[in-house]
Amino acid sequence: MERDPVRAAVTLHDVAREAGVSLATASRALNGSTRKVNDAYRERVLAAAARLNYSPNLSAQAIARGTTTTVALLVADIADPYFSQIAAGVVREADSQGLIVTMAATERDAERELELVRALRGQRPRVMILAASRRDDDPSAEALAAELAAYESTGGRVAFISESGAAFREVRLENRAGGEALARALVALGYRSFAAIGGAEGIRTADDRLAGFRAGLESEGATLDRVVRPDFTRDGGYAGMQQLIADGLEGIEAVFAVNDVMAVGAMSALRDGGLVPGVDVAVAGFDDIPTVRDVTPALTTVRLPLEEIGRRALQLALGEAGDDGTPLATEVVVRASTPARG
Amino acid sequence: MERDPVRAAVTLHDVAREAGVSLATASRALNGSTRKVNDAYRERVLAAAARLNYSPNLSAQAIARGTTTTVALLVADIADPYFSQIAAGVVREADSQGLIVTMAATERDAERELELVRALRGQRPRVMILAASRRDDDPSAEALAAELAAYESTGGRVAFISESGAAFREVRLENRAGGEALARALVALGYRSFAAIGGAEGIRTADDRLAGFRAGLESEGATLDRVVRPDFTRDGGYAGMQQLIADGLEGIEAVFAVNDVMAVGAMSALRDGGLVPGVDVAVAGFDDIPTVRDVTPALTTVRLPLEEIGRRALQLALGEAGDDGTPLATEVVVRASTPARG
DNA sequence: TTGAAAGCGATACCAG
DNA sequence: CTGGTATCGCTTTCAA
């Protein structure tokens, strides 16, 4: 697999020479603002660029222009459908704006997140989107806020998905309201006693959903009898349900897992425990990730327009609309995992 | 949401001045190769940098050093678990090497892929990883190869996942062998007549898996009685199974979908058609994405170490091992969707 | 319009 | 070791 000797990439200089014009003219013809170059020259430059297969060096442009065309995106876990859908939205929107997305994963570690923000700042991205879940007790929260503030003070734009807990732009998810609506819907279906699988305490998203759910139940006179708090993952959901089973599920009619990934794991735990989800005990989740249509029974959940959220976060950060008007379309989707109860 | 007036970012120049040393010394203290700066100076520079919250401009470094720290990754669809797992692997490996990942989605469009490669080339990434599925009939294949060759001729490194169909490095997936092994395993379980849901003709990955499967069956004296070729997506799988049902499923004992996402859709189509997967007809997939453990019945499939594939692609491109020895651990995983047949 | 030349932020060679 | 300076690739005044 030996290659040709590496020759330097074609530069604008080469193109200019090949076209017989000055560097400045070549620059203008290729990337300069509109209409300022004689058509004949313009043609020659474009032809030369094509002939040489010229590709402008974005780093050089960035440094000369003082601004990049990069978007930095931070998620907790790329393989998690919640984040990958959001990422898909960000990438799509970025693409439609001619921006390039740089992606990093915090692996749910706040320290790592801070390091990543520092590292990513070196790129001088136009915007930074933080989708990784925030925690209340986060010790590095202050340092993160400071870092982001510094970034914004030099022209960067930050957008959070969910709650920033600080003064940054954010796409606010209706976690609490969604939880509440779900609770009401379940009560309306005839359920009265519930358990919840909640994700480690302190994870804002999980706490909000749970708080909303609890509030919804209480407003309807129903009760949340038990809460377990395993990891915020599929296996966490599985373990959480196992624990509920071990502690005795009698009296519990429905279990709410604060996200779909966990709910799906919880359903498997039920099955492995010899119980039938939707029959022996109802299950509901949150997010409406694609797979929940394909599990059995299909999962009742709260739909979040994840891809749209990603796009919107970018728009918001860029300062175009996104912020205004239309709230996110959050809605309860009732499926077979929570059949109406006689 | 008004901000402070935007001031320019801190530059190395500022740090040098603040520390009372020359630009060159500051550079060396901060990023220069090992041990060349007096400790006292070094300390002062580091302190100044910290005080000013200095963040080196990567674009400037790139242009001065003549090399970036960027990895460009192209996938077909970020939200597809197959690609998001691979992406997670690439990002993780990149991270451990201090590299930054730029990601783009081809949306399964070859023209777009070419454009993206062109655009991404402007970043002068150290390596480019192409994971988007190749097609045989791809009209822009030549142009893509040319573009990539140009990229490599200036020092870039390209790595494909699956088959490049050209002279580039690649992480070769055992699609054919996996299909074959699956076929044999199913025959060993007692199945004799099969149908397949194959993904549009020309998609190399799909074709290879199918060809392997067919070969495996034939070597065991079983037959592939029917093949449908819908889209390479969940909905494609659903539609494919619907078609099989409409055409009459009698005589078909098992259905092989060339990837798990399709298989999962296919199972839902069975259910919606009043049939029970694993009982009325067995189903098998390919990839072993996380969700297949949680569908009912759990899906028999061919496991591909997706995250590992991502890491390996990067290593391969960077020229460290990855290539050598150990083939990818591809193995048939039999689950409840293909129970042993009397 | 066009071209010459001054940056942009950082690196690295070359003297001292 | 340290500092001065040329240089990287491109944009953008400033004159012509």
Side-chain angles (χ1 to χ4, degrees), chain B residues 98-138:
Chain B
L99 300 173
I100 281 175
V101 178
T102 271
M103 190 146 137
T106 66
E107 317 272 3
R108 302 198 154 74
D109 175 339
E111 304 257 6
R112 253 184 89 46
E113 179 169 29
L114 181 55
E115 284 169 21
L116 287 173
V117 167
R118 292 219 167 95
L120 259 18
R121 188 147 81 89
Q123 295 202 69
R124 302 288 184 272
R126 272 247 263 280
V127 327
M128 243 162 92
I129 299 179
L130 307 225
S133 14
R134 230 104 296 298
R135 315 187 39 121
D136 279 331
D137 56 350
D138 194 338

Side-chain angles (χ1 to χ4, degrees), chain A residues 149-219:
Chain A
Y151 168 64
E152 285 210 325
S153 78
T154 59
R157 312 297 216 107
V158 173
F160 274 85
I161 287 175
S162 192
E163 337 251 338
S164 66
F168 297 102
R169 294 173 186 74
E170 65 180 321
V171 174
R172 198 177 208 94
L173 307 187
E174 305 193 307
N175 287 321
R176 199 172 196 294
E180 210 172 317
L182 176 63
R184 283 193 222 282
L186 293 179
V187 171
L189 285 169
Y191 294 93
R192 289 295 173 271
S193 68
F194 300 82
I197 299 178
E201 201 142 6
I203 295 185
R204 191 91 44 106
T205 298
D207 289 352
D208 287 350
R209 291 175 179 184
L210 197 51
F213 189 73
R214 176 174 267 131
L217 290 185
E218 286 171 0
S219 76

Side-chain angles (χ1 to χ4, degrees), chain B residues 257-311:
Chain B
V258 294
N259 72 30
D260 286 350
V261 168
M262 296 180 84
V264 163
M267 284 179 53
S268 285
L270 274 180
R271 246 180 265 113
D272 291 351
L275 298 171
V276 180
V279 175
D280 295 316
V281 53
V283 180
F286 203 115
D287 285 342
D288 200 31
I289 59 175
T291 45
V292 302
R293 290 180 304 166
D294 295 315
V295 294
T296 318
L299 187 70
T300 289
T301 189
V302 179
R303 158 187 284 275
L304 244 36
L306 296 171
E307 192 181 315
E308 164 75 10
I309 288 170
R311 320 180 82 101

